[in-house]
Amino acid sequence: VRGRSEICEAVLLRSVDYGDSDRIVTLLTSRFGKGAFLARGARRSRKRFGGALEPLCVLQVEIGSGQGTLGTLRQATVTRTFPRVLGELARMAAGFSSLELVPELSSEHDEDTGVFSTVLAFLSALDLRDIEPAKLALCFEMRLLSLQGLGPRLHECGSCGKRPGPAQAGQFDPTHGYLVCRECGGAPYLLAGELREALVRASGHGWLECARGSWSALEVDQASAALRAFTEHRIGRELRARSLAPSHGGAG
Ligand SMILES: [Zn+2]
């Protein structure tokens, strides 16, 4: 297949310098799932990629097979940007920390897991003025986990099976990924009742609508901490939105 190339949409997930002038980028593509690609000359000159290797936007890329599992990125252009995401710090931060989950929670060469369209919907919604970034990030994380079959069980006690009422808070154990009721000893993270119910729904197709609920900032913070502790436990390391943050200024 050497020499063949494909054109598709992509979102940049990670970028690391390689050698004196190249970069290795991890892309989530619309057709081939996640993959790593060598972008030759990406640091030496902006001509080739025209400054297109930026996170938090949609790219059109031309990719080819390379050596082993590393493909080649031949061209990239930005086809869609999200001005409010780039212009508001809270939205940008939510974007970085959410997209950092994607390489961990997606597979290579998966053609139709729904991850790409979910990421696209996430970025579009993050750009909307009436969407709160923290709520959106929480629902996105829940949906992404469930797309990979890793979603936590927030509807019943994992020990005895007892279900809390619709508006009843639950105590969540991130190590096991389920609720533990008071009779069974409880768990460290509190999930407010209606938000807990919404997160159960956010594992399904209606996840975006769950981001419009009217929960308090404290409830959202508690649930975000609970879910992130669970995700980190599943991934096996602590996540920091570092790899995508614009740390080496003025590249190229
Ligand atoms: Zn129980």
Side-chain angles (χ1 to χ4, degrees):
V1 218
R2 247 184 117 74
R4 261 183 59 193
S5 67
E6 303 275 356
I7 291 175
C8 59
E9 289 190 293
V11 172
L12 179 70
L13 300 177
R14 276 183 190 148
S15 175
V16 292
D17 292 346
Y18 181 74
D20 288 335
S21 59
D22 304 337
R23 255 185 208 157
I24 293 175
V25 295
T26 304
L27 300 174
L28 179 71
T29 68
S30 56
R31 292 179 55 193
F32 309 102
K34 169 188 72 175
F37 300 89
L38 180 64
R40 284 191 197 284
R43 291 167 61 207
R44 193 173 42 207
S45 131
R46 292 178 78 89
K47 273 182 206 152
R48 185 156 194 157
F49 297 104
L53 298 181
E54 299 293 333
L56 304 179
C57 57
V58 179
L59 313 175
Q60 188 189 67
V61 296
E62 183 183 346
I63 52 180
S65 51
Q67 294 195 330
T69 54
L70 188 67
T72 303
L73 178 65
R74 296 190 174 150
Q75 280 188 54
T77 49
V78 175
T79 54
R80 188 167 168 204
T81 58
F82 305 94
R84 204 168 269 119
V85 176
L86 298 179
E88 291 178 24
L89 204 55
R91 290 179 194 277
M92 188 187 278
F96 280 130
S97 88
S98 296
L99 288 199
E100 202 196 18
L101 299 171
V102 177
E104 312 291 343
L105 297 175
S106 60
S107 348
E108 288 179 32
H109 312 300
D110 261 4
E111 295 192 17
D112 191 28
T113 55
V115 175
F116 185 82
S117 60
T118 302
V119 166
L120 217 54
F122 168 75
L123 288 172
S124 305
L126 193 58
D127 204 41
L128 300 175
R129 192 201 316 246
D130 64 336
I131 289 273
E132 285 181 40
K135 290 180 190 172
L136 180 67
L138 183 58
C139 295
F140 172 76
E141 185 165 352
M142 192 69 195
R143 176 63 175 154
L144 199 59
L145 284 164
S146 90
L147 280 173
Q148 297 302 310
L150 299 174
R153 285 159 64 198
L154 304 182
H155 63 287
E156 62 179 15
C157 171
S159 289
C160 71
K162 194 172 95 183
R163 296 188 172 213
Q168 197 185 340
Q171 297 182 35
F172 179 66
D173 179 342
T175 310
H176 290 105
Y178 51 60
L179 301 180
V180 181
C181 74
R182 208 169 299 220
E183 287 73 27
C184 293
Y189 288 91
L190 189 72
L191 296 174
E194 283 171 17
L195 177 52
R196 184 188 56 73
E197 281 287 305
L199 287 176
V200 173
R201 293 196 304 277
S203 58
H205 288 287
W207 67 276
L208 256 178
E209 279 315 302
C210 299
R212 294 182 184 273
S214 54
W215 312 295
S216 73
L218 177 65
E219 289 172 340
V220 173
D221 279 355
Q222 286 174 332
S224 299
L227 199 56
R228 193 47 68 105
F230 167 74
T231 302
E232 286 176 349
H233 181 77
R234 275 301 168 99
I235 293 170
R237 67 179 181 86
E238 208 174 310
L239 288 164
R240 286 188 195 85
R242 195 163 50 181
S243 52
L244 275 175
S247 54
H248 15 250

